[in-house]
């Protein structure tokens, strides 16, 4: 009997140890993702993206790389995650110091969340690898991801903003889109369209700002000035007033289905022929090909009309950078792979042939493959779209905004929360609403520092 | 005599022995009687220490830091200064206060009334109705939220708008306006929690001795007198409990709001403490400020509950 007691005691101690070990195992686990090489000597690289098509592009890029680099083979593992979920995971992984992938897609609006402290960006500097390609790349696209003189990411496309006209409706109204040169012309054409066909000329976004920011950018204005919110500047106010007037004064536009022009409800409406035109970037071509089969061969693409002479006829809208994280196991290899796959002529061409994007490498635009008649985008839109986009990109008509400024996420959040919905859904006065957006955003910016 | 002397001697021996063995004996006491209970509660203690106390203390420390990809810097009370000047914080506070107010206003009297009905001997199909009222609790908030989101659609074809259409009102853009947005949140909450609160009150009602009512009958009290003087005071502890969990639930509102609007709603009409914490941490990567918001929420909830409990005199009863 006497011997049993210490045994009991030891047993209970052991139980306690096991129990606490169970709870604590989670704390010490190390990141094992992508650390190894495969049995046949390939280096494993893990990539996260939020677009399925991007995953296909990268799988193809890995194949190309392995062909040309037999000694540095790559085994690329791509995970496609939902947008919000991917960025939450990335934030947590990069902040906690473990669990991040080697390569990741970072959407342009999210980028500034990672570059708040220019001395501590959790991505790998690509400047050195990129140098040979820089003269051929669209500068605005590279500038977006440059922080403190270092380039941290590489975009898929230029995102040149254009107007897509539904020629079924335009012909019925008897209007040639090429004659629409200014935004005033656009209103007049819209009134004719409404009169003759009963259709809306276009739609206004209520929870997105791509049309508005493209117009701001084309007039060489910006939503941020000296680190402060700049929505109520004269140009910006006038621009938003124009958009509000399309809806409430001229009645030639209505609020978009789903609040923005990039969702399935809206694709269906546009496909049905409810709008004569939509103002969206070049990457919208892929949405048309995938979701608007009825309009094949009926779309004409033109540069954006202008407000004043001297305005640009396009703007770079949206974008997604591919970055190499500072947790990548083979940073050099990952960086080389990303840069060659995206910046080289052959790689950049694939963004057009596989994804329907407007390539960031200007040399690509002169390649005959751009007009390959078997390409599904050429079949849908005709070869003229390539000329339209090329002239915009090669003539420097594509500007940008302070997307990657530290203030951008806060300023845009305030605008889309307290500005856009009020102005577009409730007909709130533009001037006072924008003033209060600026005031609130600045308050949040000051308190955030 | 001899026996008493023996007894005395024996007692002396015992005392000496005890004095000798004092140390080992106390040790034995610790292992057997003091230690084992701790062993039994150790799973809870460990879970509490690892998952509650440690994160709690750590979040207070984090609330005084600026955290940036592995580099954290102590910045004192700067986050708290930012908090008191942050318009979104006040908007979130106002939203949850409104929400809590409405849920308490509805979810205390209505379940009590239902419980009284369900407790009456004359009510038919009592168990059926009890199950029916309780059923919504078993559903997932996210799925319910999605269904209500479609029911509150702004199009004419939305469920509520199509009802309103019969009386020639609307269509109403429910989820884009502050008042109707709040209504949409409160409707889910009432639909879901009515049955639970009813069960709480029902158990309270069933604990009231029948003779109290019989005495009151003899004294000639009417139904209202009985309700006011017997039922209400007797279910007071339950009412306090229901109000307390409603305050906690109201301040930690997240699912419904997130399903309706995600982390950003037009005009911040759906922003709550938790959606704001979530957004600050996981989309803005501002973990320090998110911790500050968490600490602020903790303080506010504790203060409000202390006030509530002391006004209702619970401390005196205890």
């Amino acid at each position: 009997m006497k011997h049993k007691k210490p045994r009991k005691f030891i047993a209970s101690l052991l139980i306690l140890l096991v129990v606490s070990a169970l709870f604590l195992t989670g704390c010490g686990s190390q990141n094992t993702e992508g650390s190894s090489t495969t049995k046949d000597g390939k280096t494993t690289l893990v990539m996260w993206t939020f677009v399925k098509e991007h995953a296909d592009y990268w799988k193809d890029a890995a194949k190309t790389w392995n062909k040309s680099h037999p000694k540095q083979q790559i085994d690329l593992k791509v995970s496609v995650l939902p947008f919000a979920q991917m960025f939450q995971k990335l934030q947590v992984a990069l902040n906690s110091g473990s669990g991040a992938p080697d390569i990741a897609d970072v959407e342009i609006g999210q980028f500034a969340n990672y570059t708040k402290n220019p001395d501590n960006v959790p991505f790998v500097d690509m400047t050195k690898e990129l140098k040979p390609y820089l003269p051929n790349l669209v500068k605005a696209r590279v500038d977006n991801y440059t922080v403190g003189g270092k380039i941290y990411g590489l975009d898929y496309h230029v995102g040149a903003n254009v107007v897509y006209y539904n020629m079924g409706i335009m012909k019925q109204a008897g209007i040639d889109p090429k004659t629409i040169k200014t935004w005033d012309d656009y209103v007049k054409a819209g009134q004719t369209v409404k009169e003759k066909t009963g259709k809306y000329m276009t739609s206004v976004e209520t929870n997105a700002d791509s049309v508005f920011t493209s117009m701001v950018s084309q007039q060489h204005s910006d939503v941020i000035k000296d680190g402060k919110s700049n929505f109520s500047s004269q140009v910006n106010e006038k621009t938003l007033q124009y958009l509000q007037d399309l809806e409430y004064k001229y009645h030639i536009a209505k609020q978009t289905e789903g609040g923005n022009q990039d969702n399935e409800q809206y694709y269906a409406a546009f496909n049905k022929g409810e709008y004569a035109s939509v103002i969206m970037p070049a990457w919208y071509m892929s949405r048309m090909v995938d979701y608007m089969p009825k309009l094949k061969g009926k779309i004409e693409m033109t540069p954006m009309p202008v407000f004043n002479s001297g305005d640009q006829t396009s703007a770079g809208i949206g974008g997604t950078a591919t970055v190499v994280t500072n947790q990548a196991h083979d940073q050099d290899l990952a960086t080389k792979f990303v840069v060659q796959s995206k910046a080289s002529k052959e790689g950049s061409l694939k963004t057009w042939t596989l994804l329907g994007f407007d390539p960031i490498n200007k040399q690509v635009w002169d390649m005959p493959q751009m007009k390959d008649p078997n390409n599904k985008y050429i079949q849908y839109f005709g070869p003229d779209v390539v000329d339209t986009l090329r002239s915009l990109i090669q003539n420097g008509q594509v500007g940008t905004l302070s997307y990657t400024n530290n203030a951008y996420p806060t300023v845009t959040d305030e605008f889309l929360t307290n500005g856009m919905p009020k102005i577009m859904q409730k007909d709130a006065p533009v001037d006072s609403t924008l003033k209060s957006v600026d005031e609130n955003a600045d308050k949040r910016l000051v308190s955030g520092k | 005599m001899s026996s008493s002397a023996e007894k005395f001697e024996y007692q002396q021996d015992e005392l000496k022995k005890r004095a000798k063995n004092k140390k080992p004996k106390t040790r034995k006491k610790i292992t057997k009687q003091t230690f084992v209970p701790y062993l039994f509660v150790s799973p809870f203690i460990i879970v509490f220490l690892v998952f509650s106390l440690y994160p709690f203390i750590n979040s207070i420390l984090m609330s005084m830091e600026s955290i940036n990809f592995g580099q954290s810097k102590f910045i004192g009370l700067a986050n708290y200064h930012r908090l008191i000047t942050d318009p979104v914080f006040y908007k979130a506070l106002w939203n949850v206060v409104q929400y809590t107010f409405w849920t308490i206003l509805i979810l205390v009297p209505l379940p009590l009334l239902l419980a009284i009905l369900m407790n009456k001997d004359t009510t038919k199909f009592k168990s059926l109705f009890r199950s029916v009222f309780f059923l919504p609790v078993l559903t997932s908030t996210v799925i319910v939220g999605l269904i209500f989101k479609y029911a509150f659609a702004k199009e004419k074809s939305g469920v509520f708008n199509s009802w309103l259409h019969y009386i020639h009102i609307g269509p109403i853009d429910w989820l884009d306006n502050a008042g109707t947005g709040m209504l949409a949140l409160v409707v889910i909450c009432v639909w879901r929690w009515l049955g639970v609160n009813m069960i709480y009150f029902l158990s309270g009602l069933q604990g009231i001795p029948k003779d109290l009512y019989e005495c009151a009958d003899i004294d000639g009290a009417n139904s209202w007198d009985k309700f006011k003087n017997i039922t209400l005071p007797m279910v007071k502890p339950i009412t306090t409990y229901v109000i307390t969990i409603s305050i906690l639930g109201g301040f930690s509102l997240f699912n419904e709001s997130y399903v309706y609007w995600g982390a950003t709603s037009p005009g911040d009409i759906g922003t709550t403490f938790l959606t704001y914490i979530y957004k600050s941490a996981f989309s803005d990567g501002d973990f320090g400020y998110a911790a500050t918001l968490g600490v602020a929420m903790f303080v506010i909830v504790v203060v409000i509950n202390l006030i509530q409990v002391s006004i209702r005199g619970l401390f005196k009863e205890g």
Side-chain angles (χ1 to χ4, degrees), chain A residues 5 12 16 23 87-88 91-92 94-95 113-114 116-117 120 122 413 417-418 421 425-426 440 444 447-448, chain B residues 39 42 46-47 51 67-71 82 85 176-177 264-268 278-279 282-285 287:
Chain A
K5 274 172 194 165
S12 35
L16 193 74
F23 283 118
F87 286 106
Q88 283 155 27
Q91 271 287 357
V92 174
L94 290 173
N95 263 296
N113 285 331
Y114 298 86
K116 280 178 203 153
N117 180 358
N120 187 32
D413 183 58
T417 306
N418 293 320
Q425 288 179 317
K426 302 199 170 56
N440 271 332
R444 286 171 65 184
S447 59
Chain B
L39 183 69
S42 67
I46 293 169
V47 169
F51 292 110
I67 294 162
N68 185 276
F69 304 112
Q71 294 181 352
R82 176 177 164 192
T85 52
D176 283 318
N177 293 296
T264 327
S265 48
D268 279 321
Y278 179 83
K279 189 169 158 242
F282 299 117
S283 30
D284 305 347
F287 290 90

Side-chain angles (χ1 to χ4, degrees), chain A residues 174 289 379 385 438:
Chain A
V289 169
Q379 285 174 352
V385 285
D438 278 348

Side-chain angles (χ1 to χ4, degrees), chain A residues 147 264 362:
Chain A
V147 180
E264 275 154 46
K362 284 181 272 188

Side-chain angles (χ1 to χ4, degrees), chain A residues 280-300:
Chain A
M280 277 306 255
W283 51 257
Y284 204 65
M285 280 193 278
S286 66
R287 311 294 197 270
M288 292 193 151
V289 169
D290 289 345
Y291 296 97
M292 307 178 196
K294 272 191 195 173
L295 301 178
K296 187 175 178 178
K298 288 184 189 159
I299 297 287
E300 184 161 331

